Amino acid sequence: MTPKLIALDMDNTLLKSDRTLSHQNATILKKLHADNHHIVLTTGRPFPNVQPFLTQLELNKNDDYVILFNGGVVKNINTNETLLNKRFTLSDMSEIFNLIHNLNLPIDIVCPEIVYSIADFGQSNYVNLIGKLLHYQQVSITDLPTTLTFNKFVVCETEDKLNYLENILNHTPVLTKNISFTRSRRTLLEFVPSNVSKGAALKVLLKKLSLTSKDLIVFGDEANDLSMFKLATVSVAMANAIPLIKSAATDITSSNEENGVATFLSSYFNL
């Protein structure tokens, strides 16, 4: 059998709601990895918040990769070779930052090793989402170095406020010509450089591994997973996925709390 590339969103897909990896999911993925299938975590998270799960899954081969920042970074886990690394600069974002500020919404800037919470914009709940593996610092935007580059920024707010912001952005193309934005959960809107997506990153990785979309199996639950659902031959939505993802999927499995990843893969590979 041709090795498959199994791409997995993490939060509310592979991981349980308490952000842990179940024994059932880990066991199935480690078995498939031992059988030379590629297991690729495909997430909006930066590397420090992914590394413990890479270790838990024993992803330690020379051709093991991870996709970070919703497709902004494609990185070899063991050699640190970077296939893709798309970033913003502060000057790129001045106009959209002003818009968000005027709407009284918070902004958190996410770099590979640190999150900057912009004090001028107010405190968000994002600090409670990132865990303790990533340094979190509240700063004034004028205190940030003008040379700062970063892979994404986020607005963490109520669903209604994010719906309102998305509606404005969708009708203001002059502000969004250099960015892409998508929900990774209902209360989190993530911004990455234009043309960055999980699907675009997977295309780069498939080419590197001499595979095609026919060899791709993807799992997800949220809007930021849609691009990889459109690419894959087999796309699996969790029972807890939003309607958009369920309608785009070729298959639906049980929820992230019910080991839906392990359930589907055990059946698909007759394990």
Side-chain angles (χ1 to χ4, degrees):
M1 176 189 292
T2 301
K4 299 291 185 182
L5 194 161
I6 302 167
L8 303 124
D9 171 58
M10 292 181 63
D11 294 291
N12 297 318
T13 296
L14 177 62
L15 305 184
K16 298 192 295 183
S17 297
D18 63 3
R19 302 176 204 163
T20 61
L21 175 61
S22 72
H23 173 74
Q24 293 93 325
N25 282 347
T27 298
I28 291 298
L29 291 175
K30 284 193 284 187
K31 178 173 177 52
L32 290 170
H33 186 242
D35 289 340
N36 294 318
H37 298 289
H38 300 279
I39 308 301
V40 180
L41 302 188
T42 310
T43 178
R45 295 181 178 211
F47 191 74
N49 282 4
V50 181
Q51 191 168 28
F53 301 101
L54 303 175
T55 301
Q56 190 174 350
L57 291 170
E58 300 175 4
L59 299 180
N60 51 21
K61 297 179 181 179
N62 286 334
D63 60 354
D64 282 334
Y65 289 84
V66 63
I67 293 175
L68 309 167
F69 294 112
N70 286 324
V73 172
V74 182
K75 176 180 178 178
N76 186 295
I77 297 165
N78 297 293
T79 68
N80 284 324
E81 175 194 11
T82 301
L83 303 183
L84 192 68
N85 187 4
K86 296 292 186 76
R87 296 186 174 196
F88 290 125
T89 66
L90 280 175
S91 59
D92 292 335
M93 296 298 101
S94 59
E95 290 187 7
I96 193 166
F97 277 16
N98 287 336
L99 168 67
I100 294 170
H101 191 195
N102 290 338
L103 293 173
N104 295 313
L105 296 173
I107 285 180
D108 293 279
I109 292 174
V110 189
C111 303
E113 304 292 339
I114 188 171
V115 174
Y116 292 109
S117 172
I118 307 304
D120 322 52
F121 292 44
Q123 177 67 59
S124 78
N125 191 48
Y126 191 61
V127 64
N128 297 316
L129 299 180
I130 63 172
K132 298 179 180 179
L133 297 174
L134 199 64
H135 185 56
Y136 186 90
Q137 182 179 345
Q138 193 166 43
V139 297
S140 171
I141 196 165
T142 56
D143 290 334
L144 290 172
T146 56
T147 56
L148 179 71
T149 63
F150 49 98
N151 295 95
K152 74 173 183 178
F153 67 93
V154 303
V155 178
C156 185
E157 254 296 354
T158 65
E159 184 170 357
D160 286 345
K161 288 183 178 180
L162 293 187
N163 288 343
Y164 182 70
L165 174 58
E166 275 196 290
N167 184 56
I168 291 176
L169 294 174
N170 284 327
H171 290 86
T172 320
V174 67
L175 289 181
T176 57
K177 60 182 182 295
N178 295 320
I179 65 171
S180 298
F181 55 92
T182 186
R183 298 277 184 97
S184 60
R185 59 182 70 199
R186 292 296 87 195
T187 57
L188 188 64
L189 187 61
E190 304 202 9
F191 296 80
V192 293
S194 59
N195 301 316
V196 165
S197 69
K198 292 183 178 183
L202 281 169
K203 286 182 181 179
V204 171
L205 185 53
L206 286 168
K207 183 177 180 180
K208 174 70 175 181
L209 298 173
S210 299
L211 299 173
T212 72
S213 59
K214 294 181 179 179
D215 306 309
L216 181 61
I217 302 172
V218 303
F219 291 81
D221 73 299
E222 259 290 354
N224 63 330
D225 300 316
L226 182 61
S227 61
M228 61 179 185
F229 273 50
K230 291 180 176 179
L231 177 65
T233 300
V234 178
S235 54
V236 187
M238 312 306 291
N240 51 285
I242 63 171
L244 173 68
I245 292 300
K246 287 182 176 178
S247 66
T250 61
D251 298 89
I252 297 176
T253 188
S254 47
S255 75
N256 64 313
E257 295 292 341
E258 300 168 312
N259 305 303
V261 168
T263 298
F264 180 86
L265 291 175
S266 295
S267 174
Y268 186 89
F269 289 101
N270 297 313
L271 299 175

